Amino acid sequence: MCDWHWYCSAQIGGVDCTRDPLKVKRFVGYLPDNMGFYPDMTGRENLRMTGRMNGLGGAELEGRIEQLLRRVKMTAAADRRSGTHSKGMKQRMGVADILMKDPEVLILDEPNNGIDPEGMRELMVLIRELAEEDGKTILISFHQLHQIQQICDRVGIFVGGRRIACGRIGELAEQLQAETDFHLEFTAKPGGDALLHFLWKRKYIRDVQQSGESFRIRADEDVTGRLVKDLTEDGFVLASLRQAGNDPDEIYRRYFEKAGEQHAEYGTGGKVRILRRKKRS
């Protein structure tokens, strides 16, 4: 939230959202996390009402409704009352609703809330199609990076309403590595106390964490070569080795830690926003 003493602004397509909201609404579609359909009206009737509010009518309106129902795979359930639709159905119908006016930009607020895995997969496919085939620019508010990384170009991480990082997943990982410690995760034989004792004797290792047979070390720099050499010379057999910190959820967590946030499940109040989808060239 912005302090009321300051004027906060946002622009979409060069149009100020605060000063000219009606103009923005002409080319932006917004899907909230709980779409407000009239429950006693059918899905088709809700879409028809939205179309009429956007100046459509007659055969053009009915044709667009049919096209969008097929697009979001809701033709079979279109004539059922919206109040009987599942959360996933409502989200897909919501996408059809905001597409009635064929907006250039789509804003989706936590579209995964309450959707089962199969519904989530279908929604991700639809979002990817809208970006790659229709050339839409899409802004998505999300909490789980691992679910969204495959369809986004750039990710912005926000804490307390302030953007603390922005870039592609790989760029965020590289930035973290440049600013923070180096992490390695590995397994070796023999493990257990023998390996733990060995690691604590290495002065270049700042911290050691053990989880079952897996060990994770933290150092000031890339110590992969030194660690492999020392393990081999001391008779350990390396079973697996990877640089930690590059998976999306860990990137998210470490940025929150960097920002000084206390959170139990990847940040209360923190969100990931997908800032832009690549347009078709």
Side-chain angles (χ1 to χ4, degrees):
M1 294 180 62
C2 301
D3 189 286
W4 68 274
H5 293 287
W6 298 90
Y7 169 69
C8 298
S9 67
Q11 291 189 353
I12 302 178
V15 181
D16 192 302
C17 301
T18 302
R19 296 186 183 279
D20 203 348
L22 292 180
K23 187 174 182 180
V24 170
K25 290 177 181 179
R26 293 191 186 104
F27 64 90
V28 174
Y30 171 63
L31 178 67
D33 60 354
N34 187 16
M35 195 69 181
F37 289 120
Y38 288 101
D40 291 332
M41 293 171 58
T42 67
R44 189 185 303 274
E45 288 169 342
N46 274 287
L47 292 183
R48 186 175 292 125
M49 182 181 67
T50 297
R52 287 172 176 167
M53 291 174 64
N54 283 278
L56 300 176
E60 180 185 9
L61 172 58
E62 297 306 317
R64 183 145 186 81
I65 290 174
E66 288 300 328
Q67 174 194 15
L68 291 174
L69 287 172
R70 289 194 300 271
R71 186 75 184 273
V72 301
K73 298 181 180 179
M74 282 294 291
T75 303
D79 295 308
R80 287 167 44 189
R81 288 186 301 167
S82 293
T84 68
H85 290 166
S86 68
K87 179 68 182 219
M89 289 178 175
K90 289 178 180 177
Q91 290 296 78
R92 293 205 303 273
M93 191 64 78
V95 173
D97 188 85
I98 66 175
L99 289 174
M100 286 299 296
K101 62 181 177 181
D102 194 23
E104 299 173 27
V105 179
L106 305 180
I107 300 177
L108 313 180
D109 184 11
E110 308 245 11
N112 62 321
N113 276 353
I115 300 181
D116 59 41
E118 178 61 20
M120 185 63 195
R121 186 194 66 80
E122 292 177 352
L123 183 62
M124 292 297 99
V125 170
L126 176 59
I127 292 172
R128 190 187 303 111
E129 288 178 354
L130 289 171
E132 296 177 352
E133 297 179 13
D134 294 36
K136 305 292 184 185
T137 295
I138 303 176
L139 176 83
I140 310 177
S141 175
F142 235 74
H143 275 88
Q144 288 81 28
L145 274 176
H146 72 276
Q147 289 184 331
I148 202 69
Q149 62 169 328
Q150 296 180 355
I151 67 166
C152 70
D153 284 335
R154 299 174 66 223
V155 173
I157 299 179
F158 289 74
V159 176
R162 182 174 61 89
R163 192 183 74 185
I164 61 173
C166 180
R168 298 176 183 271
I169 294 290
E171 294 171 346
L172 295 180
E174 291 174 2
Q175 183 178 336
L176 272 179
Q177 292 167 14
E179 298 177 357
T180 60
D181 304 323
F182 184 83
H183 296 250
L184 273 177
E185 193 171 283
F186 65 96
T187 57
K189 296 184 180 300
D193 291 341
L195 182 54
L196 185 62
H197 180 69
F198 162 85
L199 294 173
W200 279 123
K201 290 171 61 178
R202 306 303 103 174
K203 293 183 178 180
Y204 54 81
I205 296 177
R206 293 180 55 190
D207 185 45
V208 179
Q209 296 178 4
Q210 181 180 1
S211 177
E213 297 182 354
S214 179
F215 286 81
R216 179 169 179 154
I217 67 166
R218 180 165 60 97
D220 292 327
E221 57 185 1
D222 186 350
V223 296
T224 306
R226 295 172 67 182
L227 178 64
V228 172
K229 177 176 179 293
D230 289 349
L231 284 168
T232 303
E233 290 180 349
D234 272 49
F236 291 93
V237 178
L238 197 62
S240 66
L241 175 69
R242 77 175 186 93
Q243 182 178 344
N246 290 333
D247 56 287
D249 280 342
E250 184 157 349
I251 291 172
Y252 190 14
R253 177 184 62 79
R254 289 175 64 189
Y255 268 108
F256 269 99
E257 290 178 350
K258 180 182 173 184
E261 290 291 313
Q262 299 297 320
H263 55 286
E265 296 181 2
Y266 289 164
T268 43
K271 287 190 177 182
V272 178
R273 289 182 172 87
I274 308 312
L275 298 178
R276 187 178 177 85
R277 278 292 289 134
K278 187 182 296 180
K279 290 190 175 182
R280 192 177 184 182
S281 58

